Amino acid sequence: MTRKRFDENMKIDREYVLSLIEGAKETTKEEIDRILEKAKNKKGLEHSEVAALLEIEDKEQVKKLFEIAGQVKKDVYGNRIVLFAPLYISDYCVNNCVYCGYKCKNKFVRRRLTMDEIRKEVEILEKMGHKRLALEAGEDPVNCPIEYVLESIKTIYDTYEKNGAIRRINVNIAATTVENYKKLKEAQIGTYILFQESYDEEVYKKMHPNCLKGNYDYHTTAFDRAMEGGIDDVGAGVLFGLADPKFEVLSLMMHNQHLEKKFGVGFHTISVPRLRPAEGVTLENFPHLVDDDMFKKIVAIIRLAVPYTGMILSTREDEEMRKELLEYGISQVSAGSCTGVGGYEEAMNGKNVDQFEKADERTPIEVIEDLIDHNYIPSYCTACYRTGRTGEKFMNIAKSEKIHYMCKPNALTTLMEYAIDYGDERFLKKAEKFVREQASTIDRGDIKKFILANIDKLKNGERDLYI
Ligand code: SAM
């Protein structure tokens, strides 16, 4: 039997994780069946159970894993998919991350956007219909200090293109101090996102040689400081491809449990980036690349282990993989992304400044139409954090059935708003038909009425309607 561990201080117990992996090797098919049955209850899984599922190889059991993860996903999230786009504001970086195109060893002309340039990027994003951004920056205390990040957030929230507005900014910047997290909270960010890259301390140190980010303990305790600073929603992730994926998934679960016990709420989201080629980065130098089969299992297992934690997929994955993972795990995807500083304006001039190679180059409207065709509701909803449904409060609502009566009408309303503002006549017709059909499936008259009334209100010029 493996031990259960909880430590008030965030520290991954390496021996414990390795013992979980070792112990799971003997898992029988019957035991896996038992765990899969248990997972249907949406109460999450023990570490040893996650370790056991990571051993599934049998085709029938893999199929069952996907089916149950699909059902859990449907129960918790319905058919909504949240959309967002990244906005890179600065590529100055003092770090030397082996896997990253922004490493300071790479010599190229670096830049940070001026407020005017940020406004231009935001206007382009708003013209695409985006309402929710993930703000991204390299780490450089001199060239990209917190004051610059805060000013950028203010500029983004203050930029409106016709009816366009950014209503939620999630922030993905380097680990920082409680004081700085308080400032981010005051600036009204949504989720603070930070990828651990690798929980394996040895790999982590190798991947971040001689640089600020190389401090493993400071990085792993960033969410503790963020929560102390008042940020309710934190978004985790590892960069799959750096270390043993089983070690990473189990460590993610331990990190989540640590936050749940200490702060009453774990990760708001988990992102699952996989390593991509980048400037000075070729994949053959990484011995732990995660193949498609393992990657799909990981997504399904995380879905079962933490059913109420949103899962995010970026354009690092191609259209086909994104479609498949929506079925049994992913609840948020980026669309129409540029992953470089000033990338949206540069793209209009035919230039590509991406941080790493993307695999899905479709425009947001193409992604949206494809989602509708597959019976998903593309959602630009940002209501939760603006109505104070964050952190533990959000999790409690999410765990009750009530969430469907908020998220679905809000999602349908934002889709209708998108169609009116950014769709042509054909798209608007198609979207309205879909919104009405979806509304008719809701078993509460007041909620149906709310959606149908919103269609009229939006046509009459009202915007930003939500429960
Ligand atoms: N500088 C911030 C930090 O230190 O956390 C994060 C911003 S960075 C733009 C966002 C993420 O991109 C990183 O956390 C890393 O996981 C990911 N990334 C870097 N290089 C990558 C690559 N070659 N392929 C895929 N993802 C990569």
Side-chain angles (χ1 to χ4, degrees):
M1 273 295 278
T2 40
R3 300 154 297 157
K4 249 197 204 169
R5 278 282 170 88
F6 171 67
D7 193 346
E8 163 80 6
N9 300 313
M10 172 54 205
K11 184 85 195 161
I12 297 298
D13 182 340
R14 185 183 175 80
E15 292 310 312
Y16 172 59
V17 180
L18 292 177
S19 73
L20 286 169
I21 297 172
E22 198 49 40
K25 290 195 173 135
E26 304 298 318
T27 312
T28 61
K29 277 191 170 178
E30 291 69 31
E31 175 63 359
I32 286 177
D33 279 336
R34 181 200 66 78
I35 299 168
L36 288 175
E37 276 310 303
K38 175 185 168 183
K40 287 182 183 169
N41 296 330
K42 304 185 282 279
K43 299 252 185 281
L45 298 173
E46 302 284 330
H47 297 152
S48 59
E49 294 169 335
V50 173
L53 293 190
L54 286 164
E55 294 299 322
I56 298 184
E57 291 296 344
D58 178 82
K59 274 201 177 130
E60 276 309 303
Q61 282 192 317
V62 172
K63 203 169 141 218
K64 200 167 160 197
L65 165 70
F66 292 166
E67 275 167 14
I68 296 173
Q71 193 52 51
V72 166
K73 197 209 151 190
K74 221 167 160 193
D75 291 350
V76 176
Y77 300 89
N79 57 343
R80 303 178 309 277
I81 302 294
V82 169
L83 296 172
F84 75 98
L87 174 61
Y88 283 66
I89 57 170
S90 171
D91 55 22
Y92 283 104
C93 197
V94 294
N95 291 319
N96 240 328
C97 313
V98 172
Y99 49 83
C100 183
Y102 283 177
K103 67 182 108 190
C104 62
K105 255 204 319 219
N106 277 355
K107 298 296 169 214
F108 61 93
V109 182
R110 295 187 186 248
R111 67 188 278 215
R112 78 175 198 194
L113 298 179
T114 63
M115 293 305 131
D116 271 347
E117 287 170 332
I118 289 182
R119 265 186 285 276
K120 275 192 197 140
E121 290 286 278
V122 173
E123 281 166 11
I124 297 170
L125 284 157
E126 288 177 351
K127 270 187 201 155
M128 292 184 204
H130 281 295
K131 301 281 184 276
R132 180 189 279 254
L133 299 185
L135 183 143
E136 310 272 344
E139 178 169 17
D140 188 326
V142 173
N143 291 302
C144 183
I146 193 72
E147 291 71 27
Y148 168 72
V149 174
L150 296 170
E151 196 188 352
S152 304
I153 292 171
K154 187 167 178 345
T155 301
I156 297 167
Y157 276 140
D158 286 345
T159 301
Y160 304 98
E161 202 280 334
K162 295 188 182 148
N163 288 328
I166 299 302
R167 298 173 184 157
R168 178 178 178 128
I169 306 172
N170 298 332
V171 171
N172 181 4
I173 60 165
T176 185
T177 59
V178 175
E179 280 315 303
N180 286 346
Y181 287 124
K182 280 187 188 158
K183 291 177 187 167
L184 288 170
K185 163 82 180 173
E186 274 162 31
Q188 295 186 318
I189 67 162
T191 310
Y192 170 64
I193 298 170
L194 183 70
F195 300 159
Q196 176 56 37
E197 318 301 4
S198 175
Y199 282 97
D200 182 325
E201 191 167 356
E202 287 170 21
V203 172
Y204 185 91
K205 287 189 169 153
K206 256 193 236 156
M207 287 296 140
H208 306 100
N210 308 319
C211 58
L212 266 186
K213 192 165 169 176
N215 187 337
Y216 177 83
D217 289 336
Y218 191 70
H219 202 80
T220 51
T221 51
F223 289 155
D224 293 63
R225 293 191 298 282
M227 286 189 167
E228 278 163 38
I231 293 178
D232 291 331
D233 292 337
V234 297
V238 292
L239 184 53
F240 284 104
L242 303 185
D244 176 3
K246 294 177 186 171
F247 191 97
E248 305 290 27
V249 173
L250 288 163
S251 302
L252 269 171
M253 295 304 119
M254 292 175 69
H255 194 174
N256 184 60
Q257 187 191 46
H258 161 79
L259 295 175
E260 271 177 359
K261 294 209 171 167
K262 192 167 167 187
F263 297 98
V265 63
F267 302 145
H268 187 67
T269 53
I270 292 180
S271 298
V272 287
R274 264 200 301 183
L275 191 65
R276 301 279 302 155
E279 185 62 39
V281 181
T282 46
L283 300 188
E284 61 263 26
N285 298 327
F286 295 86
H288 293 288
L289 296 179
V290 175
D291 65 27
D292 288 354
D293 288 345
M294 183 64 181
F295 189 55
K296 291 174 192 174
K297 282 192 263 182
I298 287 171
V299 169
I301 293 167
I302 295 177
R303 179 70 299 133
L304 296 180
V306 284
Y308 298 96
T309 300
M311 284 183 78
I312 302 180
L313 197 65
S314 72
T315 50
R316 291 175 183 87
E317 299 299 330
D318 66 18
E319 186 178 335
E320 208 182 311
M321 179 62 81
R322 279 158 57 101
K323 247 182 225 164
E324 185 169 342
L325 296 183
L326 288 178
E327 277 174 37
Y328 46 75
I330 298 300
S331 54
Q332 281 193 37
V333 290
S334 50
S337 304
C338 289
T339 64
V341 178
Y344 295 98
E345 198 176 17
E346 298 280 14
M348 289 176 70
N349 304 324
K351 257 172 95 187
N352 180 349
V353 293
D354 284 340
Q355 182 203 10
F356 49 78
E357 285 178 23
K358 290 177 310 222
D360 186 347
E361 301 278 359
R362 290 174 298 162
T363 60
I365 199 155
E366 285 168 342
V367 173
I368 286 176
E369 194 152 2
D370 193 41
L371 287 171
I372 294 174
D373 289 340
H374 290 85
N375 206 39
Y376 288 111
I377 307 171
S379 174
Y380 281 114
C381 179
T382 54
C384 270
Y385 99 107
R386 294 193 293 153
T387 51
R389 294 194 289 265
T390 57
E392 203 175 352
K393 245 189 258 164
F394 169 82
M395 278 298 170
N396 289 336
I397 303 172
K399 287 176 188 171
S400 76
E401 296 290 296
K402 276 192 284 183
I403 193 93
H404 292 297
Y405 297 117
M406 297 171 178
C407 295
K408 189 160 178 170
N410 285 343
L412 289 169
T413 302
T414 61
L415 172 59
M416 195 61 210
E417 182 178 350
Y418 172 87
I420 293 171
D421 283 341
Y422 306 103
D424 56 17
E425 210 176 307
R426 179 198 63 83
F427 180 84
L428 176 57
K429 244 185 174 170
K430 176 173 178 168
E432 181 170 346
K433 183 169 170 277
F434 180 72
V435 170
R436 288 183 185 277
E437 278 165 9
Q438 288 290 318
S440 73
T441 65
I442 298 174
D443 62 4
R444 258 179 60 182
D446 57 330
I447 300 291
K448 271 187 223 181
K449 251 195 202 157
F450 170 80
I451 299 166
L452 299 181
N454 282 351
I455 295 178
D456 291 333
K457 285 184 189 172
L458 289 165
K459 284 185 179 170
N460 289 327
E462 284 185 55
R463 290 292 176 271
D464 199 13
L465 307 167
Y466 56 87
I467 304 177

